[in-house]
Amino acid sequence: MEKNKDDCSNKEQEEEQVVNPWVVSVKDGGKIDYDKLIDKFGCQRLDQSLIDRVERLTGRSPHVFLRRGVFFAHRDFGEILDSYERGDKFYLYTGRGPSSESLHLGHLIPFLFTKYLQDAFKVPLVIQLTDDEKCMWKNLSVEESQRLARENAKDIIACGFDISRTFIFSDFDYVGGDFYKNMVRVAKCVTYNKAVGIFGFTGEDHIGKVSFPPIQAVPSFPSSFPHLFSGNDRLRCLIPCAIDQDPYFRMTRDVAPRIGYHKPALIESSFFPALQGETGKMNASVPCSAIYVTDSAKQIKDKINRYAFSGGQDSIELHRKHGANLEVDIPIKYLGFFLEDDAELEHIRKEYGAGRMLTGEVKKRLIEVLTDIVERHKRARAAVTDEMVDAFMAVRPLPNMFS
């Protein structure tokens, strides 16, 4: 049985930090305690032996997000690797709730990592655009949610996904047929009390919110995509996502065996912190808290210099004497996500921590790294046409998706 610590247990812990698909908060502005989150959710730490297996099975160096613990937790990832080693394939599923015109760097994390998994394991991918969810939670019109979904799809495509292995779909356009049948199967297995325990719904929430979780659950079942996986209902699914999405899939994993499917496996990331400090995840409604993929080089420089919380000391003299507090320093944390060179990162950490490197020098290097990433993304996105979006979203077979 799945470890179910999610159903309203441990009230004291819930008061200290709240993590669910819509709210990430910590009492008194503290940091997320990921060890407590793992214990509460009942997932497992991603250990070095699994990372080593990924490298051995794929022949590729582990992604920087694996090497540095950005993706830090999992459910049944070892079983996915076991089946792959036996010669069985799997498919990937991830998604995006389109609530803003453009993405910030935190939004890119799951897509950059999913692209690595797709390339390394040579497997198909389905990407769900939950335009219906954002319509219900963000009070957007149906039409605006659909428009944002297409705009976000362009940013996703710009990450470099292989069109011969990738199907992108919006809920408003795709839900129906076999997909809807699976939604009903899931819905019949989840009581209202269970949903309240997992998601925290209240009497003030409209019924659309309560009805949504099965929609996010069923892309993890291959029969939801008959044009892709017809006759292959036992195909395993791996979901790369941030850990705040875990409640959806705890529910899904509980239901899956009861309706004849494998439990989906998950590989889960920590949150990309706001510029102002590591107190949760970035808030897309606060522009100065994040670097956006539409930001200019000047905007990136200004945001890093003005808002990126520093662990450096109050004066150069004190900094030279005591060094920087790397545990709270946001530029160091951002470099940990996006600076590819392990040796350079270690050198910066050592010199900055010892006080031999100043905050301004670290921020300068971060500005260079992020500007390069954003400029490359802008160029890739500019090349994505409406016709390309239509092609990725076309309901079609992918004949070479496993080759």
Side-chain angles (χ1 to χ4, degrees):
M1 287 291 291
E2 192 79 2
K3 184 179 180 182
N4 270 326
K5 288 196 172 184
D6 47 271
D7 296 339
C8 299
S9 62
N10 202 332
K11 290 292 183 183
E12 182 179 347
Q13 183 171 302
E14 286 190 351
E15 290 172 3
E16 290 175 2
Q17 59 183 29
V18 177
V19 176
N20 62 45
W22 314 288
V23 178
V24 176
S25 65
V26 184
K27 188 177 181 181
D28 299 326
K31 291 171 59 175
I32 294 290
D33 187 326
Y34 288 105
D35 288 327
K36 284 187 176 180
L37 207 54
I38 284 176
D39 183 59
K40 177 185 175 184
F41 285 179
C43 44
Q44 295 82 43
R45 271 275 177 190
L46 192 67
D47 61 30
Q48 188 61 43
S49 66
L50 288 174
I51 298 171
D52 292 342
R53 283 189 72 193
V54 171
E55 182 171 18
R56 178 171 59 82
L57 290 172
T58 65
R60 291 178 176 234
S61 175
H63 193 277
V64 63
F65 295 160
L66 276 181
R67 299 200 307 270
R68 299 189 188 146
V70 173
F71 279 79
F72 72 103
H74 74 98
R75 294 180 183 273
D76 292 348
F77 185 50
E79 292 187 19
I80 288 285
L81 298 182
D82 290 343
S83 62
Y84 184 81
E85 193 163 17
R86 292 193 300 266
D88 299 328
K89 295 293 187 178
F90 62 91
Y91 74 99
L92 296 163
Y93 155 41
T94 195
R96 161 76 183 142
S99 61
S100 59
E101 192 79 31
S102 66
L103 309 186
H104 58 56
L105 290 180
H107 292 142
L108 288 186
I109 300 297
F111 294 111
L112 296 174
F113 187 64
T114 299
K115 182 190 182 307
Y116 155 78
L117 292 173
Q118 183 184 58
D119 293 344
F121 288 98
K122 297 180 173 57
V123 291
L125 162 67
V126 296
I127 300 175
Q128 180 181 38
L129 301 174
T130 56
D131 41 11
D132 52 345
E133 177 197 21
K134 294 307 175 184
C135 178
M136 291 186 285
W137 262 270
K138 297 293 185 179
N139 200 28
L140 300 171
S141 69
V142 170
E143 293 74 21
E144 178 65 0
S145 296
Q146 289 180 297
R147 186 187 72 81
L148 291 175
R150 285 187 65 88
E151 289 303 306
N152 285 189
K154 293 176 183 177
D155 279 307
I156 293 167
I157 292 167
C159 292
F161 291 107
D162 181 351
I163 194 170
S164 71
R165 302 181 196 271
T166 305
F167 173 52
I168 302 175
F169 67 99
S170 91
D171 288 344
F172 278 133
D173 290 336
Y174 187 73
V175 171
D178 291 274
F179 193 99
Y180 184 68
K181 292 174 187 176
N182 277 337
M183 285 169 49
V184 171
R185 292 181 180 112
V186 170
K188 288 175 66 177
C189 292
V190 182
T191 66
Y192 177 71
N193 285 342
K194 181 78 169 178
V196 168
I198 295 173
F199 299 105
F201 296 129
T202 71
E204 300 304 309
D205 287 311
H206 59 67
I207 60 174
K209 292 183 179 182
V210 180
S211 69
F212 177 76
I215 302 176
Q216 187 154 326
V218 302
S220 55
F221 304 147
S223 66
S224 298
F225 305 101
H227 66 287
L228 299 178
F229 307 126
S230 180
N232 202 356
D233 289 355
R234 300 299 293 168
L235 190 66
R236 298 290 301 256
C237 175
L238 173 63
I239 305 169
C241 62
I243 198 165
D244 61 332
Q245 300 299 301
D246 189 88
Y248 283 121
F249 303 113
R250 295 203 303 279
M251 180 197 76
T252 307
R253 285 169 56 86
D254 180 60
V255 170
R258 298 158 63 185
I259 58 177
Y261 298 116
H262 283 300
K263 294 180 178 183
L266 281 81
I267 184 165
E268 301 177 314
S269 72
S270 56
F271 302 120
F272 190 66
L275 285 167
Q276 288 80 359
E278 194 176 20
T279 58
K281 62 178 182 178
M282 286 187 290
N283 186 344
S285 65
V286 183
C288 65
S289 76
I291 303 296
Y292 284 83
V293 296
T294 52
D295 282 348
S296 67
K298 183 179 184 304
Q299 286 174 313
I300 294 170
K301 180 179 179 180
D302 289 347
K303 284 183 178 181
I304 296 299
N305 283 331
R306 290 182 63 188
Y307 301 116
F309 187 83
S310 171
Q313 302 297 330
D314 292 337
S315 69
I316 292 178
E317 292 76 14
L318 287 173
H319 185 82
R320 295 296 190 197
K321 181 178 180 180
H322 300 292
N325 180 354
L326 303 184
E327 289 302 309
V328 300
D329 193 89
I330 289 298
I332 283 291
K333 291 184 183 297
Y334 276 28
L335 286 171
F337 278 83
F338 289 116
L339 180 60
E340 289 280 349
D341 190 320
D342 291 339
E344 183 184 359
L345 178 64
E346 183 55 34
H347 173 76
I348 292 172
R349 288 178 58 86
K350 181 179 178 181
E351 295 299 297
Y352 189 38
R356 292 186 291 269
M357 181 178 279
L358 300 177
T359 298
E361 297 174 272
V362 178
K363 287 188 172 183
K364 181 176 183 293
R365 183 65 181 117
L366 176 62
I367 290 165
E368 293 170 352
V369 170
L370 296 189
T371 300
D372 179 61
I373 290 170
V374 169
E375 291 301 319
R376 279 190 283 117
H377 184 86
K378 284 182 184 176
R379 291 193 294 271
R381 204 226 193 244
V384 178
T385 63
D386 285 325
E387 290 74 20
M388 289 174 65
V389 175
D390 291 339
F392 269 92
M393 298 184 75
V395 178
R396 70 207 189 277
L398 301 176
N400 300 314
M401 60 185 174
F402 288 117
S403 60

